[in-house]
């Protein structure tokens, strides 16, 4: 059994960097340091807002990956599940344009969750029931979702309205922290809450203990009466729902419309965030914020007219950082031990 | 009897997979998307669609030449993925390697005026292979020396390659960023390279309007070479042994690390060559939109071809035909041509999980059958 290695190096590094970011932001936005153009580019409120917005789908994707992989199912199909969820949410929103806005949006989120969950169930069925290689099954999910959404997408459909910011009374008035953290639309709050919920569920409940047991040593889990494959089915389906929620965020909170291929690699980056965060919810949060920050930085540098480094090279940062992370140059990360292997019960004829 | 069975068996799964994918794809066309018409009309729609698809791919000289044109890069990226599979590696990076190959080829192709045609072309193609090989070597080296999983590294390198290629041809402009080194200074705001010099272009077999170039013959020759390399040489034996059982390979004294790196360099070189051939034979320039979609399709082609070079030839021909007929399918039936991508994903699903086929067709699994794909894990190799 793996101990709760919450403070493993890579999680620690990303959380410390996130902390440094918050402190610098407070200093820059509340003291005369804010007069420096450079510090404003790096730590201004707009950079932080952009960071959080860019991070939400990455956080949800990474949490999706954590749920699946902690139970032993590799999920590289997050990208496809996100896209399918986004499309489902969009179709539901278009169909309910006549409803009151809130009801229609909530209904669309539920549909996105359902579609994401179905994709997760498909991934679990392919890899458990049909024993497909899990990475290939993930690839199938991605190609299927890309093809299906392009095939069914009606380019004339328009979704009317999206989630608005809900400032939290009191907290939203705190300088710097308020406008960044407490003046957001609902899925953003939900995502930050989910990080805490999944951390507690994984490390402090019976379900979490069993999930980790199934991912680390299925034989032992089976011996004490845990239904290994049922845990894998349930977790992968829930993981799919989280990816679907990320899609819902893109369509119903960030953009407001669906575009073909709109996930644009976010599913893959969230995989990287999961690995960089060492399969821990808070690690994934830190890593996602860092990746979101590199995107924000690119944006701010462009706005500030800084062009000495081509913007394409700034955009490479998250990918290069990921390669460095998986290469173990920043503390060793370790995946769940039984990941990627089909579990067969003792004496099964299959 | 036994020998006939052994010959037919490997062909049976791909055949049934394609058949099942076409049937499921037909049902999707009948019941999803356009839902007008009576039940009979809707059931008839996929039949007409497949007829159009077939005519679009084979019905005319132009259709057939489009099939060959689409097949060429798929054959090489399929081989790239297949070679990596043989060594137990999953190369999702063919699209990045393809892009790097395109960029390297075009860099040689637009420079060095005055070189004799054959030499210029050869150098440009070699540059493409080199670009892809470098991009393949990185995940190989990282896997061997740090344990980084090649799947995640190749996915990330795909993005880095796309951004790098975007920079090389970037037109500069709005925010004052300098244009990229390969940008065509006469292109105005368009981000693309100048045309490849005539001396570095692959000649036509059939010129416009057919536009079939000698790249298809290069690709076929390379496929035969890869078959020879994998099955008739020591290096190939080592690659296959490492792929089947790394521990046994190590015990037998095979240099496992070197073999893994070599397989990735080879895979990268093949995808890079695909980029080079596409650039020098067809597009005659590089722009960011000539991207690496064929790299991702290479995975499906490799698996449909059972990771065997001769199977990959057949699979790339089939997928090339599907891509070629897609436009006519959409034109004739007004069904979105993206349905072809759905069918290709279904082919991949059925071919990668023979158990589904066994279940549908109530067949007994073949006990001698080896799993075509390696079981993989993020962990250290």
């Amino acid at each position: 059994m793996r101990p709760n290695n919450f403070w493993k190096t890579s999680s620690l590094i990303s959380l410390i960097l996130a902390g440094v970011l918050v402190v610098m932001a407070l200093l820059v936005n509340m003291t005369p340091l804010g007069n420096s153009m450079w510090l404003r580019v790096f730590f201004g409120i707009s950079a932080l807002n952009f960071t959080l917005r860019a991070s939400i789908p990455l956080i949800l994707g990474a949490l999706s990956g954590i749920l699946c992989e902690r139970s032993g199912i590799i999920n590289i199909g997050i990208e496809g599940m996100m896209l399918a969820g986004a499309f489902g949410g969009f179709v539901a929103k278009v169909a309910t344009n006549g409803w009151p806005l809130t009801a229609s949006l909530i209904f669309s989120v539920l549909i996105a969750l359902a579609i994401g969950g179905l994709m997760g169930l498909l991934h679990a069925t392919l890899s458990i029931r049909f024993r497909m290689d899990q990475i290939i099954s993930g690839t199938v999910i991605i190609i299927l979702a890309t093809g299906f959404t392009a095939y069914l997408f009606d380019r004339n459909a328009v979704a009317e309205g999206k989630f608005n910011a809900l400032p939290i009374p009191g907290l939203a008035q705190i300088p710097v922290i308020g406008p960044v953290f407490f003046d957001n639309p609902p899925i953003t709050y939900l995502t930050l809450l989910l990080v805490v919920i999944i951390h507690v569920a994984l490390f402090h409940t019976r379900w979490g203990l069993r999930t980790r047991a199934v991912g680390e040593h299925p034989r032992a889990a089976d011996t004490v009466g845990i239904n290994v494959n049922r845990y894998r089915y349930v977790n992968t389906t829930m993981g799919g729902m989280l990816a679907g929620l990320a899609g819902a965020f893109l369509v119903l909170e960030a953009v407001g419309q669906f575009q073909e291929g709109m996930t644009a690699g976010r599913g893959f980056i969230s995989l990287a965030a999961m690995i960089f965060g060492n399969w821990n919810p808070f690690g994934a949060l830190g890593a996602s914020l860092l990746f979101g920050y590199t995107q924000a930085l690119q944006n701010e540098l462009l706005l500030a007219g800084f062009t000495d480094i081509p913007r394409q090279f700034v955009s490479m940062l998250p990918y290069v950082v990921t390669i460095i992370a998986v290469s173990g140059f920043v503390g060793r990360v370790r995946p769940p031990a039984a990941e990627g292997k089909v579990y067969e019960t003792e004496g099964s004829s299959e | 009897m036994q020998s006939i069975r052994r010959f037919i068996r490997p062909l049976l799964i791909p055949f049934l997979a394609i058949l099942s994918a076409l049937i499921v794809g037909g049902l999707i066309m009948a019941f999803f998307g356009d839902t007008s018409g009576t039940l009979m009309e809707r059931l008839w729609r996929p039949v007409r669609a497949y007829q159009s698809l077939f005519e679009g791919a084979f019905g005319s000289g132009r259709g057939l030449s489009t099939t060959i044109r689409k097949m060429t890069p798929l054959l090489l990226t399929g081989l790239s993925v297949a070679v990596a599979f043989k060594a137990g590696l999953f190369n999702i990076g063919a699209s990045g390697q393809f892009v790097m190959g395109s960029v390297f080829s075009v860099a040689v192709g637009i420079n060095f005026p005055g070189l004799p045609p054959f030499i210029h072309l050869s150098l440009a193609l070699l540059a493409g292979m080199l670009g892809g090989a470098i991009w393949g070597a990185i995940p190989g080296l990282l896997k061997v020396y740090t344990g980084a999983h090649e799947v995640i590294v190749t996915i990330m390198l795909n993005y880095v390659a796309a951004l790098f290629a975007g920079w090389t041809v970037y037109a500069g402009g709005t925010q004052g960023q300098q244009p990229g080194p390969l940008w065509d200074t006469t292109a105005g705001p368009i981000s693309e390279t100048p045309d490849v010099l005539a001396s570095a272009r692959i000649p036509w077999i059939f010129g416009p309007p057919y536009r079939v170039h000698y790249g298809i013959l290069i690709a076929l020759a390379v496929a035969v070479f890869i078959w020879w390399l994998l099955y008739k040489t020591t290096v190939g034996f080592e690659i296959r042994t490492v792929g089947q059982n790394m521990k046994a390979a190590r015990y037998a004294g095979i240099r496992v690390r070197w073999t893994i790196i070599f397989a990735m360099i080879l895979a990268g070189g093949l995808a890079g060559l695909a980029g080079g051939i596409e650039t020098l034979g067809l597009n005659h320039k590089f722009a960011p939109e000539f991207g690496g979609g064929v790299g991702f399709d290479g995975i499906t082609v490799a698996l449909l071809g059972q990771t065997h070079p001769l199977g990959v030839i057949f699979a790339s021909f089939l997928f090339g035909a599907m891509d070629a007929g897609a436009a006519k399918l959409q034109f004739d039936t007004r069904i979105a041509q993206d349905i072809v991508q759905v069918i290709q994903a279904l082919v991949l699903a059925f071919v990668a999980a023979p158990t589904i086929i066994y279940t549908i067709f109530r067949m007994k699994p073949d006990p001698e059958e080896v799993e075509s794909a390696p079981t993989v894990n993020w962990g250290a190799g």
Side-chain angles (χ1 to χ4, degrees):
Chain A
M1 204 74 273
R2 172 156 57 160
N4 177 354
N5 49 8
F6 174 60
W7 296 114
K8 261 247 164 118
T9 340
S10 54
S11 320
L12 198 63
I13 288 176
S14 38
L15 275 180
I16 288 176
L17 287 177
V20 168
L21 202 61
V22 171
V23 172
M24 283 305 291
L26 283 170
L27 287 176
V28 167
N29 291 297
M30 296 179 66
T31 65
L33 278 177
N35 295 332
S36 148
M37 188 269 276
W38 281 110
L39 288 173
R40 269 208 316 282
V41 164
F42 281 102
F43 305 107
I45 291 197
S46 82
L48 299 185
N49 268 326
F50 193 103
T51 300
L52 189 62
R53 248 179 299 142
S55 306
I56 296 300
L58 306 183
I59 299 171
L60 286 168
L63 290 176
S64 162
I66 289 172
L67 280 190
C68 302
E69 304 213 348
R70 281 285 183 172
S71 73
I73 300 282
I74 295 179
N75 185 4
I76 73 160
I78 297 171
E79 175 87 9
M81 298 178 185
M82 245 185 223
L83 191 64
F87 185 71
F90 173 74
V91 171
K93 182 71 197 71
V94 171
T96 59
N97 268 339
W99 297 12
L101 184 59
T102 314
S104 156
L105 285 171
I106 290 175
F107 174 74
S108 310
V109 170
L110 292 177
I111 294 294
L113 286 175
I115 298 287
L118 278 178
M119 295 299 274
L121 186 62
L122 175 66
H123 179 53
T125 312
L126 288 178
S127 39
I128 299 170
R129 168 79 181 77
F130 292 113
R131 309 151 57 89
M132 193 187 288
D133 182 275
Q134 292 170 10
I135 288 189
I136 292 169
S137 167
T139 314
V140 170
I141 298 275
I142 295 169
I143 304 180
L144 257 188
T146 318
F148 244 110
T149 52
Y151 172 65
L152 294 174
F153 182 38
D154 173 4
R155 282 152 195 82
N156 299 319
V158 176
E160 289 162 14
K162 57 177 188 173
F163 282 117
N164 292 316
L166 296 171
I168 296 180
L171 294 175
Q173 270 77 49
I174 305 173
V176 187
I177 306 236
V180 173
F181 285 109
F182 300 112
D183 189 7
N184 287 307
I187 298 181
T188 305
Y189 296 130
L190 180 62
T191 302
L192 297 176
L193 210 59
L194 276 169
V195 174
V196 180
I197 293 173
I198 291 178
H199 175 80
V200 172
L202 262 183
F203 297 110
H204 301 284
T205 67
R206 194 173 67 165
W207 168 83
L209 180 66
R210 290 185 169 184
T211 294
R212 288 181 290 134
V214 164
E216 293 290 342
H217 201 317
R219 178 75 66 211
D222 192 20
T223 312
V224 297
I226 299 171
N227 187 333
V228 172
N229 282 340
R230 192 204 293 157
Y231 266 80
R232 291 185 168 176
Y233 271 111
V234 169
N235 277 26
T236 310
T237 307
M238 286 198 301
M241 290 168 78
L242 286 176
L245 185 61
F249 169 85
L250 292 176
V251 164
L252 304 169
E253 192 163 299
V255 182
Q257 301 295 336
F258 180 81
Q259 292 142 11
E260 277 179 56
M262 76 185 297
T263 44
R266 287 186 182 84
F268 289 126
I269 304 178
S270 54
L271 263 183
M274 171 195 77
I275 295 174
F276 195 42
N278 203 18
W279 286 266
N280 278 317
F282 278 100
L285 172 69
S288 303
L289 285 171
L290 280 187
F291 290 169
Y293 184 63
T294 56
Q295 289 175 21
L297 202 59
Q298 181 201 343
N299 211 36
E300 296 295 317
L301 286 173
L302 211 61
L303 286 176
F306 174 79
T307 52
D308 291 357
I309 301 174
R311 61 188 176 87
Q312 289 89 353
F313 289 111
V314 182
S315 306
M316 283 178 198
L317 269 176
Y319 310 111
V320 175
V321 165
T322 304
I323 292 174
I324 291 173
V326 296
S327 302
F329 298 133
V330 187
R332 208 89 180 98
V333 291
R334 195 184 72 84
E339 201 172 60
K341 297 181 188 105
V342 176
Y343 178 67
E344 290 171 55
T345 38
E346 204 98 36
S348 89
S349 57
E350 265 196 354
Chain B
M1 190 60 201
Q2 197 61 31
S3 62
I4 294 175
R5 270 185 66 104
R6 282 183 58 184
F7 181 71
I8 286 184
R9 190 82 193 192
L11 302 178
L12 197 58
I13 291 293
F15 174 76
L16 292 176
I18 294 163
L19 187 70
S20 313
L22 287 177
I23 292 171
V24 176
L27 292 175
I28 291 169
M29 278 188 263
F31 295 104
F32 291 93
D34 179 13
T35 48
S36 62
T38 64
L39 183 64
M40 272 317 288
E41 280 168 9
R42 281 158 69 180
L43 285 175
W44 191 240
R45 200 183 297 146
V47 179
R48 283 192 36 232
Y50 287 137
Q51 197 186 344
S52 292
L53 189 72
F54 188 83
E55 282 170 10
F58 305 112
S60 64
R62 271 199 207 196
L64 204 57
S65 50
T66 309
T67 299
I68 292 171
R69 205 161 56 226
K70 300 261 185 195
M71 167 187 175
T72 310
L74 286 176
L75 172 52
L76 288 167
T77 52
L79 284 173
S80 163
V81 180
V83 164
F85 266 136
K86 283 284 181 230
L89 303 161
F90 192 12
N91 179 22
I92 307 196
S95 82
Q97 295 145 11
F98 177 93
V99 167
M100 292 309 276
S102 307
V103 170
F104 273 57
S105 281
V106 89
V108 174
I110 60 177
N111 289 310
F112 313 112
L115 278 180
F118 180 75
I119 293 178
H120 196 183
L121 174 60
S122 309
L123 285 176
L125 284 176
L126 279 175
M129 287 169 72
L130 178 70
I134 292 173
W135 228 235
I138 297 171
L141 287 167
L142 286 177
K143 184 181 180 79
V144 163
Y145 289 107
T146 74
H149 197 280
E150 78 276 6
V151 166
I152 205 88
V153 175
T154 49
I155 290 174
M156 295 303 135
L157 283 179
N158 284 345
Y159 289 102
V160 177
L163 286 163
F164 175 79
W167 168 72
T168 58
V169 302
Y170 185 56
T174 48
Q175 261 80 22
Q177 182 180 325
Q178 294 297 310
L182 299 179
W183 174 61
D184 178 6
T185 45
T186 63
I190 303 167
S191 294
E192 62 178 31
T193 65
D195 282 351
V196 168
L197 299 174
S199 53
R201 292 183 186 185
I202 301 174
W204 300 116
I205 304 176
F206 304 108
Y210 298 108
R211 300 202 301 145
V212 177
H213 55 80
Y214 278 94
I216 181 65
L217 297 184
I218 301 175
L220 287 170
V222 167
V224 174
F225 170 75
I226 293 293
W227 169 79
W228 173 80
L229 184 80
L230 281 177
Y231 293 97
K232 302 288 170 196
T233 67
T234 319
V235 179
F237 176 74
E238 287 176 350
I239 289 180
R240 288 183 293 125
T241 311
V242 168
Q244 273 169 12
N245 191 335
M246 205 181 284
K247 275 183 195 150
R250 194 169 286 136
Y251 187 69
I254 294 173
R255 291 165 298 171
V256 172
R257 293 184 152 195
W258 186 87
T259 308
I260 287 178
I261 297 170
F262 176 75
M264 278 312 292
I265 289 176
L266 188 60
L270 287 165
L273 180 63
I277 287 180
E278 197 74 344
T279 309
L280 303 170
L282 189 65
N283 300 323
H284 296 151
K285 62 182 167 192
F286 180 78
E289 65 267 23
F290 301 141
V294 287
F296 225 66
D297 292 341
I299 299 168
T300 321
V301 167
L303 287 170
L304 180 61
Q306 306 272 301
T307 70
H308 190 286
L310 304 180
V312 171
I313 295 179
F314 161 77
S316 62
F317 178 68
L318 187 84
F319 271 49
M322 277 188 180
D323 290 345
K328 186 166 168 59
L329 182 153
Q330 174 157 335
F331 184 79
D332 287 355
T333 61
R334 280 182 285 139
I335 292 171
Q337 57 176 311
D338 307 284
I339 188 69
V340 168
Q341 206 185 349
V342 176
I343 295 171
Q344 290 176 348
L346 290 168
V347 171
L348 173 60
F350 290 131
V351 101
T355 321
I356 303 180
I357 298 291
Y358 296 142
T359 312
I360 297 175
F361 294 96
R362 304 183 180 285
M363 285 160 51
K364 276 205 196 107
D366 187 343
E368 286 177 32
E369 204 160 46
V370 276
E371 301 263 329
S372 63
T375 295
V376 277
N377 183 302
W378 296 134

